[in-house]
Amino acid sequence: MKNYIQNLYKWIDERVQLQSLVEFMGKKYVPVHRHSIWYYFGGVSLFLFIIQVVTGILLLMYYKGSEDLAFESIHFIMSKVEFGWLIRSIHSWSANLFILAAMIHMFSVFFGKAYRKPREVTWLTGMLMFFMALAFGFSGYLLPWNELAFFATKVGTDIAGDIPIIGKTILEFLRGGEDVTGATLSRFFGFHVAIFPGIFTVLLTIHLLLVQRQGMSEPLFIEDEEKYEKKKMSFFPNFLLRDLLLWLIVLNILAILAVFFPWELGTKADPFAPAPAGIKPEWYFLFMFQTLKYIPANIWFIEGEIFGIVLFGIAGILWTLVPFWDRKSFRGERNRFINYVGIFVVIYIILLTTLGWLT
Amino acid sequence: MNEKERESKRLFLKSILYGSLTALSAAILYPIFKFLKPPQQTEVEVSSIKAANVNDLEKDSGIIVRFGNKPAILIRNANGDFKAFSATCTHLDCTVQYRKDKGIIWCACHNGQYDLNGRNIGGPPPRPLEEFRVVIKGEEIFISKNV
Ligand code: FES
């Protein structure tokens, strides 16, 4: 048996020089310091994304993306298909954990200023993937075609329609018409299973290639600290094995959540029924949604909602472009301002999310 | 051919190249954008519908009815009079309902409130609900757009 494997390896190696890849991996090191733990969250996000792809493809075998059949098909998956309830529950839970892990990953990179030269593109691709993850969440939320999702989508797309100038076009583009209907469902289905995964895969490939090529970033000034001596661990196999162990733990958490807190299906959407109480967006949109509630109906001459959207838009753009305006980190100097911004954003998100949750 | 001529020839070829590249991408992108824009459905503009029978509604109650492809709300107040409005909340598009306990029209999405004349009296809605005309012919209630 061993011989066969060796022969196979040799066969491939002769053709594509596998050996150099193995050597490259062997030479790659991961720095070890007291912030090393944050390095794992990128890997966790990746793992959860893989789970999404696998469970998503499985769900596709039974899901029907139309107004009359969507709800029924998921009901069918959950009640008739063996382990259907589990696959769907995992898909929903994993989606949420994925966004959580990606958020932690993003903030750790932000605070470590790992976006500074030469890793600007890694940060940019990461941010784009994060926005895509939110779009994945928003589009996937509608697919079961239940009441909550139907009205949440109405509200969410209506807010998008408030964007100055291009709002109306965006609204019609998203809804596939003036109202949220079966046409919207078809579109969201297409986005969710074809367009987004395609774009995401390209971004992910660039992101991972860059990480492998450039190695892990080390936080600035960690060298100053007295007791710190430069330690490192080889990526292969040491870091990878720890990664895998963590993946196993995450898988267990996921399984526990999916089994003991199965994702509800709710009641089927009826466009001619009043909106039920308790319409809330998914938790990762909650802080923005809650903010809109506090903005007065009119500020100067513009509508409060528009003001809020523009504000969040600008904030998002600034955040994404941080490698290009944080000149201090670029030069390798300490930049406390970035930390204050980061802390403010974290506290703001936690506070507003909690408020949104409680009310 | 001197240097100057060559230069202008190069410029000429370049502009042809970029010109045709632009034309090519326009030729590809234009149909895609047009394709993505949902076509205007030629729906028959509904202006009047039969909403319900008088006996369908008790006093002090309300129902959602179909007005074309949009929801409308038909309300019978405590005196037995009928009123009808568009049921689409002017805030963010949710569908409103009649709240018996408070005697108002209520939107569950963000706690928007309208009085029984459709005026926004609380919560985030920025405008009153569009009112429809109610005509009762014998037992049947018709509602139609105010013109
Ligand atoms: S949509 Fe009715 S109150 Fe917001």
Side-chain angles (χ1 to χ4, degrees), chain A residues 325-337:
Chain A
W325 55 261
D326 174 12
R327 303 315 292 173
K328 275 189 167 175
S329 303
F330 173 81
R331 291 192 297 263
E333 293 163 28
R334 206 182 277 273
N335 191 352
R336 290 200 193 283
F337 177 69

PDB file of all heavy atoms in Angstrom, chain A residues 325-337:
ATOM      1  N   TRP A 325      -5.639  55.184   4.157  1.00  0.00           N
ATOM      2  CA  TRP A 325      -5.546  56.468   4.863  1.00  0.00           C
ATOM      3  C   TRP A 325      -4.815  56.380   6.189  1.00  0.00           C
ATOM      4  O   TRP A 325      -4.460  57.391   6.776  1.00  0.00           O
ATOM      5  CB  TRP A 325      -6.909  57.147   5.004  1.00  0.00           C
ATOM      6  CG  TRP A 325      -8.013  56.360   5.656  1.00  0.00           C
ATOM      7  CD1 TRP A 325      -9.002  55.678   5.018  1.00  0.00           C
ATOM      8  CD2 TRP A 325      -8.255  56.187   7.055  1.00  0.00           C
ATOM      9  NE1 TRP A 325      -9.832  55.080   5.933  1.00  0.00           N
ATOM     10  CE2 TRP A 325      -9.401  55.374   7.190  1.00  0.00           C
ATOM     11  CE3 TRP A 325      -7.623  56.630   8.225  1.00  0.00           C
ATOM     12  CZ2 TRP A 325      -9.926  54.999   8.423  1.00  0.00           C
ATOM     13  CZ3 TRP A 325      -8.143  56.251   9.461  1.00  0.00           C
ATOM     14  CH2 TRP A 325      -9.276  55.445   9.546  1.00  0.00           C
ATOM     15  N   ASP A 326      -4.575  55.172   6.657  1.00  0.00           N
ATOM     16  CA  ASP A 326      -3.789  55.050   7.876  1.00  0.00           C
ATOM     17  C   ASP A 326      -2.301  55.122   7.504  1.00  0.00           C
ATOM     18  O   ASP A 326      -1.632  54.126   7.354  1.00  0.00           O
ATOM     19  CB  ASP A 326      -4.119  53.721   8.556  1.00  0.00           C
ATOM     20  CG  ASP A 326      -3.229  53.468   9.760  1.00  0.00           C
ATOM     21  OD1 ASP A 326      -2.532  54.413  10.190  1.00  0.00           O
ATOM     22  OD2 ASP A 326      -3.217  52.340  10.251  1.00  0.00           O
ATOM     23  N   ARG A 327      -1.802  56.345   7.359  1.00  0.00           N
ATOM     24  CA  ARG A 327      -0.420  56.502   6.881  1.00  0.00           C
ATOM     25  C   ARG A 327       0.590  56.129   7.951  1.00  0.00           C
ATOM     26  O   ARG A 327       1.717  55.754   7.654  1.00  0.00           O
ATOM     27  CB  ARG A 327      -0.151  57.951   6.426  1.00  0.00           C
ATOM     28  CG  ARG A 327      -1.069  58.467   5.367  1.00  0.00           C
ATOM     29  CD  ARG A 327      -1.315  57.503   4.243  1.00  0.00           C
ATOM     30  NE  ARG A 327      -0.150  57.263   3.409  1.00  0.00           N
ATOM     31  CZ  ARG A 327      -0.096  56.358   2.439  1.00  0.00           C
ATOM     32  NH1 ARG A 327      -1.147  55.600   2.195  1.00  0.00           N
ATOM     33  NH2 ARG A 327       0.991  56.205   1.726  1.00  0.00           N
ATOM     34  N   LYS A 328       0.198  56.242   9.209  1.00  0.00           N
ATOM     35  CA  LYS A 328       1.160  55.974  10.281  1.00  0.00           C
ATOM     36  C   LYS A 328       1.549  54.505  10.310  1.00  0.00           C
ATOM     37  O   LYS A 328       2.737  54.173  10.342  1.00  0.00           O
ATOM     38  CB  LYS A 328       0.572  56.382  11.626  1.00  0.00           C
ATOM     39  CG  LYS A 328       0.758  57.834  11.949  1.00  0.00           C
ATOM     40  CD  LYS A 328       0.344  58.062  13.381  1.00  0.00           C
ATOM     41  CE  LYS A 328       0.805  59.420  13.887  1.00  0.00           C
ATOM     42  NZ  LYS A 328       0.279  59.630  15.244  1.00  0.00           N
ATOM     43  N   SER A 329       0.564  53.637  10.300  1.00  0.00           N
ATOM     44  CA  SER A 329       0.868  52.210  10.307  1.00  0.00           C
ATOM     45  C   SER A 329       1.649  51.833   9.054  1.00  0.00           C
ATOM     46  O   SER A 329       2.515  50.974   9.066  1.00  0.00           O
ATOM     47  CB  SER A 329      -0.409  51.374  10.388  1.00  0.00           C
ATOM     48  OG  SER A 329      -1.155  51.715  11.518  1.00  0.00           O
ATOM     49  N   PHE A 330       1.328  52.521   7.984  1.00  0.00           N
ATOM     50  CA  PHE A 330       2.028  52.295   6.723  1.00  0.00           C
ATOM     51  C   PHE A 330       3.523  52.533   6.902  1.00  0.00           C
ATOM     52  O   PHE A 330       4.356  51.793   6.414  1.00  0.00           O
ATOM     53  CB  PHE A 330       1.441  53.254   5.676  1.00  0.00           C
ATOM     54  CG  PHE A 330       2.165  53.253   4.355  1.00  0.00           C
ATOM     55  CD1 PHE A 330       1.917  52.274   3.410  1.00  0.00           C
ATOM     56  CD2 PHE A 330       3.102  54.250   4.056  1.00  0.00           C
ATOM     57  CE1 PHE A 330       2.575  52.274   2.194  1.00  0.00           C
ATOM     58  CE2 PHE A 330       3.763  54.258   2.844  1.00  0.00           C
ATOM     59  CZ  PHE A 330       3.496  53.261   1.911  1.00  0.00           C
ATOM     60  N   ARG A 331       3.846  53.580   7.677  1.00  0.00           N
ATOM     61  CA  ARG A 331       5.251  53.896   7.906  1.00  0.00           C
ATOM     62  C   ARG A 331       5.832  53.092   9.055  1.00  0.00           C
ATOM     63  O   ARG A 331       6.985  53.269   9.417  1.00  0.00           O
ATOM     64  CB  ARG A 331       5.404  55.388   8.221  1.00  0.00           C
ATOM     65  CG  ARG A 331       5.121  56.290   7.038  1.00  0.00           C
ATOM     66  CD  ARG A 331       5.574  57.708   7.320  1.00  0.00           C
ATOM     67  NE  ARG A 331       4.845  58.300   8.431  1.00  0.00           N
ATOM     68  CZ  ARG A 331       3.787  59.104   8.273  1.00  0.00           C
ATOM     69  NH1 ARG A 331       3.365  59.394   7.070  1.00  0.00           N
ATOM     70  NH2 ARG A 331       3.171  59.600   9.318  1.00  0.00           N
ATOM     71  N   GLY A 332       4.998  52.247   9.679  1.00  0.00           N
ATOM     72  CA  GLY A 332       5.477  51.445  10.792  1.00  0.00           C
ATOM     73  C   GLY A 332       5.478  52.190  12.110  1.00  0.00           C
ATOM     74  O   GLY A 332       6.165  51.827  13.046  1.00  0.00           O
ATOM     75  N   GLU A 333       4.662  53.266  12.177  1.00  0.00           N
ATOM     76  CA  GLU A 333       4.569  53.991  13.443  1.00  0.00           C
ATOM     77  C   GLU A 333       3.327  53.552  14.194  1.00  0.00           C
ATOM     78  O   GLU A 333       2.393  53.021  13.615  1.00  0.00           O
ATOM     79  CB  GLU A 333       4.488  55.499  13.174  1.00  0.00           C
ATOM     80  CG  GLU A 333       5.742  56.082  12.599  1.00  0.00           C
ATOM     81  CD  GLU A 333       5.474  57.444  11.989  1.00  0.00           C
ATOM     82  OE1 GLU A 333       4.549  58.130  12.442  1.00  0.00           O
ATOM     83  OE2 GLU A 333       6.187  57.804  11.032  1.00  0.00           O
ATOM     84  N   ARG A 334       3.320  53.836  15.477  1.00  0.00           N
ATOM     85  CA  ARG A 334       2.162  53.503  16.288  1.00  0.00           C
ATOM     86  C   ARG A 334       1.008  54.444  15.946  1.00  0.00           C
ATOM     87  O   ARG A 334       1.206  55.630  15.808  1.00  0.00           O
ATOM     88  CB  ARG A 334       2.537  53.696  17.760  1.00  0.00           C
ATOM     89  CG  ARG A 334       1.755  52.879  18.724  1.00  0.00           C
ATOM     90  CD  ARG A 334       2.206  53.208  20.116  1.00  0.00           C
ATOM     91  NE  ARG A 334       3.416  52.466  20.507  1.00  0.00           N
ATOM     92  CZ  ARG A 334       3.383  51.255  21.045  1.00  0.00           C
ATOM     93  NH1 ARG A 334       2.243  50.648  21.241  1.00  0.00           N
ATOM     94  NH2 ARG A 334       4.504  50.656  21.397  1.00  0.00           N
ATOM     95  N   ASN A 335      -0.188  53.908  15.793  1.00  0.00           N
ATOM     96  CA  ASN A 335      -1.326  54.774  15.499  1.00  0.00           C
ATOM     97  C   ASN A 335      -2.484  54.455  16.438  1.00  0.00           C
ATOM     98  O   ASN A 335      -3.270  53.554  16.201  1.00  0.00           O
ATOM     99  CB  ASN A 335      -1.765  54.614  14.040  1.00  0.00           C
ATOM    100  CG  ASN A 335      -2.757  55.679  13.630  1.00  0.00           C
ATOM    101  OD1 ASN A 335      -3.226  56.443  14.469  1.00  0.00           O
ATOM    102  ND2 ASN A 335      -3.073  55.748  12.354  1.00  0.00           N
ATOM    103  N   ARG A 336      -2.563  55.235  17.514  1.00  0.00           N
ATOM    104  CA  ARG A 336      -3.591  54.955  18.513  1.00  0.00           C
ATOM    105  C   ARG A 336      -4.989  55.293  18.004  1.00  0.00           C
ATOM    106  O   ARG A 336      -5.973  54.709  18.423  1.00  0.00           O
ATOM    107  CB  ARG A 336      -3.320  55.768  19.780  1.00  0.00           C
ATOM    108  CG  ARG A 336      -2.124  55.293  20.524  1.00  0.00           C
ATOM    109  CD  ARG A 336      -2.174  55.779  21.960  1.00  0.00           C
ATOM    110  NE  ARG A 336      -0.885  55.595  22.598  1.00  0.00           N
ATOM    111  CZ  ARG A 336      -0.461  54.427  23.028  1.00  0.00           C
ATOM    112  NH1 ARG A 336      -1.213  53.360  22.898  1.00  0.00           N
ATOM    113  NH2 ARG A 336       0.727  54.320  23.589  1.00  0.00           N
ATOM    114  N   PHE A 337      -5.032  56.250  17.105  1.00  0.00           N
ATOM    115  CA  PHE A 337      -6.333  56.680  16.583  1.00  0.00           C
ATOM    116  C   PHE A 337      -7.126  55.503  16.042  1.00  0.00           C
ATOM    117  O   PHE A 337      -8.324  55.363  16.283  1.00  0.00           O
ATOM    118  CB  PHE A 337      -6.101  57.738  15.491  1.00  0.00           C
ATOM    119  CG  PHE A 337      -7.373  58.190  14.846  1.00  0.00           C
ATOM    120  CD1 PHE A 337      -8.288  58.948  15.560  1.00  0.00           C
ATOM    121  CD2 PHE A 337      -7.662  57.856  13.530  1.00  0.00           C
ATOM    122  CE1 PHE A 337      -9.467  59.369  14.977  1.00  0.00           C
ATOM    123  CE2 PHE A 337      -8.842  58.264  12.939  1.00  0.00           C
ATOM    124  CZ  PHE A 337      -9.748  59.022  13.658  1.00  0.00           C
TER     125      PHE A 337
END
